[in-house]
């Protein structure tokens, strides 16, 4: 991935922040495993594995914490 897609962590709302956290997680996986075919093959294993799904949620939560901090917790 050579093009710049992340210009800022600042979002207007917590929902936009959460959506960005999910996108960060997805882009991280795509950069780690660039093959669509391999990712599709691996998806069959993790979509039925509760431990892996919880781990995915943890990664999203960590990204969301970072984004919330960058947004001063939406200026509360």
């Amino acid at each position: 991935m050579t093009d710049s897609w992340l210009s800022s962590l600042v979002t207007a709302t917590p929902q936009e922040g959460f959506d960005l956290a999910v996108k960060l997680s997805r882009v991280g996986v795509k950069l780690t495993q660039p093959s669509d075919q391999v990712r599709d093959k691996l998806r069959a294993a993790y979509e039925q594995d509760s431990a892996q799904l919880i781990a995915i949620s943890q990664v999203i939560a960590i990204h969301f914490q970072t984004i919330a901090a960058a947004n001063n917790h939406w200026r509360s």
Side-chain angles (χ1 to χ4, degrees):
M1 187 174 241
T2 58
D3 52 313
S4 177
W5 62 272
L6 182 62
S7 60
S8 177
L9 293 178
V10 176
T11 62
T13 67
Q15 179 65 52
E16 287 179 13
F18 185 79
D19 293 344
L20 179 56
V22 171
K23 181 168 180 149
L24 286 171
S25 299
R26 294 181 74 163
V27 169
V29 168
K30 191 171 186 176
L31 289 172
T32 304
Q33 178 46 261
S35 169
D36 291 338
Q37 293 147 338
V38 172
R39 286 194 316 272
D40 288 344
K41 183 178 178 183
L42 293 172
R43 185 175 294 121
Y46 74 73
E47 69 185 1
Q48 300 295 320
D49 184 336
S50 61
Q52 289 188 54
L53 294 172
I54 290 168
I56 292 164
S57 295
Q58 290 171 327
V59 170
I60 293 169
I62 291 166
H63 287 317
F64 187 66
Q65 285 177 318
T66 302
I67 294 163
N71 283 279
N72 296 322
H73 303 277
W74 289 273
R75 292 132 194 100
S76 48

